[in-house]
Amino acid sequence: MTSTPSHPTTSTERIQALDFLRGFALLGILIMNIQSFAMPSAYLNPSNYGDLTGANKLVWILSHLFADQKFMTIFSLLFGAGIILMTERAEARTGKSAGLHYKRTFWLLMIGLIHAHIIWNGDILFSYAMCGFFVYLFRKKNPKTLLILGLLMISVHSIFYSLMGSSMAYWPAEAVEQAKVSWEKSPAQIQEEISLITGTLGEQIGHNSTTALFMETLVFFMIFLWRAGGLMLVGMALYKWGVFTAKRSAGFYKKGLLIGWLIGFPLAAYGVYRNFAADWSFEFSMYLGSQYNYWASLGIAFGYICGIMLLAQSQAFPWLRDRLAAIGQMALTNYLAQSLICVFLFWGVGFGLYGELERTAQVLVVLAVWGVQIAWSRPWLDRFLFGPVEWLWRTLTYGKRQPLRR
């Protein structure tokens, strides 16, 4: 086989259905991330901060049902699919892909570390890169094997949390109280967090780095390694089956949407009921109470994927599909841009609105950021080949300056 140099994917080589889905997920993930940008300690335990009645409660419930873990699930699946897509193309050109994959993943890790420690500690790129280092080794497995291995990995976290929750009655009382500290924040802890995030740049970076290190160690090994890594393997299987490229029949996608949502939404809704009934107590909601949405999100996310693939097949709403595809084509840039915009709005380096906006007002911020990204992504790509961060990532990966202007 003739070996040709590796090069970045060109616009003509892109699969629009994948970009369309990626853009949809990129916008959707802000629905949940806004809570970390705008409110102290309210992402996992909504009772920690802010009004949770009336319209604010409705906003939280709808966000939880339709967004929480759903778009992160899609991104993880897409990351696994992207590994297959990239390595297949690289191997078709040169007969090998390991060097390209590991260089690409290393630079994503570096971008994630900068994002997490300096800009926003809720970064997910670190976890994707770390999982990407090892899931690559499974890329040649058949889809059924990938699906089984992926689901087994996803189950590890669930087994661990179920054991923790069911055994709590036998914990020493002091162990329960010590563990509660990370779940039920005191007014003093809340105020300290607000002071750090709205304080000086040094205080913000210090808080970011401390929290990011916790996320990159304990949280990664307890949650993200198993969930993100497992989902990447499942994403590889779905890509090999043609699910992400709109190649399956319309009937397949309609059935997938119906089954995914009929399973996912009732399970997630029951979890909401159980957690509110338990008053968001640590004893229930931290471990056992989290498992309803943990599994429900898989079905709901698959329903979203099937719905997007149906739209891709139908050619309906061409303007919307084109705009979402542009957002997806420069998803890394737009993901980091969401962080920069929201940090400037809420943290001390900008307007310092952290802890000031209720959940209903946060919806307006999400819509405004969506508007900006819908408006700017297509005009940018009309003039440039890549988003600015995608261009930097490619330049670092290939070790030479890549063309940018069309």
Side-chain angles (χ1 to χ4, degrees), residues 64-174:
H64 180 80
L65 290 177
F66 289 93
D68 189 12
Q69 297 189 48
K70 286 72 179 180
F71 298 107
M72 187 184 299
T73 294
I74 295 175
F75 265 124
S76 301
L77 294 169
L78 285 172
F79 196 94
I83 290 174
I84 299 293
L85 180 62
M86 185 275 295
T87 56
E88 284 182 345
R89 287 175 171 171
E91 289 166 6
R93 295 182 185 120
T94 68
K96 54 188 178 181
S97 62
L100 177 62
H101 170 76
Y102 284 110
K103 283 190 291 184
R104 185 173 182 265
T105 306
F106 169 78
W107 287 114
L108 181 66
L109 178 66
M110 294 299 103
I111 294 170
L113 287 171
I114 293 169
H115 179 228
H117 288 262
I118 296 178
I119 301 173
W120 178 54
N121 54 65
D123 167 79
I124 195 64
L125 302 177
F126 171 89
S127 294
Y128 285 171
M130 292 298 291
C131 292
F133 283 126
F134 79 87
V135 298
Y136 167 83
L137 302 175
F138 297 88
R139 72 195 185 283
K140 300 291 188 180
K141 299 292 184 183
N142 65 66
K144 185 177 179 180
T145 299
L146 287 167
L147 177 64
I148 293 171
L149 289 175
L151 291 175
L152 287 174
M153 277 197 70
I154 293 167
S155 301
V156 170
H157 161 77
S158 192
I159 293 169
F160 178 67
Y161 263 39
S162 296
L163 289 173
M164 294 284 285
S166 60
S167 66
M168 197 178 301
Y170 304 99
W171 294 13
E174 58 272 18

Side-chain angles (χ1 to χ4, degrees), residues 279-299:
D279 199 25
W280 291 96
S281 68
F282 168 79
E283 288 80 1
F284 177 76
S285 297
M286 174 64 184
Y287 295 112
L288 297 177
S290 69
Q291 295 307 298
Y292 298 100
N293 190 56
Y294 184 83
W295 289 100
S297 63
L298 302 184

Side-chain angles (χ1 to χ4, degrees), residues 41-42 44-50 52 60 183-185 276 279-281 359:
S41 301
L44 295 177
N45 181 1
S47 67
N48 266 329
Y49 192 84
L52 200 57
W60 184 89
W183 178 258
E184 299 174 4
K185 299 292 186 179
F276 273 104
D279 199 25
W280 291 96
S281 68
R359 292 175 170 89

Side-chain angles (χ1 to χ4, degrees), residues 4 33 44 62 78 82 89 113 120 145 250 253 263 301-302 318 327 331 338 342 350 374:
T4 58
N33 286 349
L44 295 177
L62 293 176
L78 285 172
R89 287 175 171 171
L113 287 171
W120 178 54
T145 299
Y253 291 121
I263 294 173
F302 188 69
I327 292 170
Q338 288 180 357
C342 291
I374 289 171

Side-chain angles (χ1 to χ4, degrees), residues 338-379:
Q338 288 180 357
S339 294
L340 291 171
I341 293 169
C342 291
V343 165
F344 185 73
L345 286 174
F346 293 106
W347 292 26
V349 291
F351 291 100
L353 296 175
Y354 192 71
E356 298 293 328
L357 298 188
E358 293 288 358
R359 292 175 170 89
T360 49
Q362 293 169 30
V363 173
L364 301 179
V365 176
V366 170
L367 294 175
V369 174
W370 285 0
V372 169
Q373 298 195 315
I374 289 171
W376 93 291
S377 296
R378 173 48 61 196

